[in-house]
Amino acid sequence: MSDQNSINLEWVCGEGVAKDYAARVSSDGGQVVDSVPFVPPPEEADLYSDAQFDPLVIVGAVLASGMVLRYVRELVLDLKGREIAILDFSGTKPQVRVVPVGKASQIIMKSPDGTIERFSPSEIDKIEQNLAALLSPAK
């Protein structure tokens, strides 16, 4: 990877696009570690229960932090009006996922200490600044 700061993260995506996402990670110099079915947190289970949605999988990957920023930027700019992108840094691995049902597009960023910040897609610069700070190595 061109960027020495690599991130081990989980990216939740539809089963139908998981192979394409994994191929993209590999072509961008990253490494796909595993792929497993996604089980939403209990408090979010109702948000993922619609049978119309493609089953979700977690693609575990190691990516350069710059690539993570680029992928998240593209995700935010592609939100379709009623989706919530969650950037969760509170677990053992950062996780990026989209909740398919919301009132309006928003981005929720959960820090390692559990602090939650909410953004609109138009605040892409603030999102990137906060994400870059979370991805930078501890000093």
Side-chain angles (χ1 to χ4, degrees), residues 22-135:
R24 181 176 177 206
V25 166
S26 295
S27 71
D28 283 339
Q31 177 185 7
V32 175
V33 181
D34 60 9
S35 182
V36 297
F38 173 68
V39 178
E43 65 273 13
E44 295 178 13
D46 289 347
L47 298 174
Y48 293 96
S49 63
D50 193 323
Q52 296 180 62
F53 298 125
D54 195 13
L56 298 174
V57 297
I58 298 172
V59 178
V62 179
L63 272 170
S65 60
M67 294 308 302
V68 174
L69 282 167
R70 190 177 102 195
Y71 285 19
V72 168
R73 178 180 185 80
E74 292 170 4
L75 172 72
V76 169
L77 295 175
D78 284 345
L79 290 175
K80 305 281 191 282
R82 290 181 44 92
E83 299 171 321
I84 301 169
I86 299 176
L87 312 176
D88 188 349
F89 286 78
S90 64
T92 57
K93 292 181 193 168
Q95 186 180 79
V96 177
R97 64 186 186 274
V98 174
V99 177
V101 179
K103 292 182 179 175
S105 286
Q106 62 178 305
I107 294 79
I108 298 174
M109 195 172 296
K110 189 172 183 183
S111 299
D113 67 2
T115 304
I116 295 176
E117 293 185 75
R118 297 174 191 273
F119 302 93
S120 70
S122 64
E123 297 176 287
I124 188 68
D125 292 335
K126 285 183 184 177
I127 294 165
E128 286 183 326
Q129 289 171 356
N130 286 5
L131 183 57
L134 288 171
L135 294 174

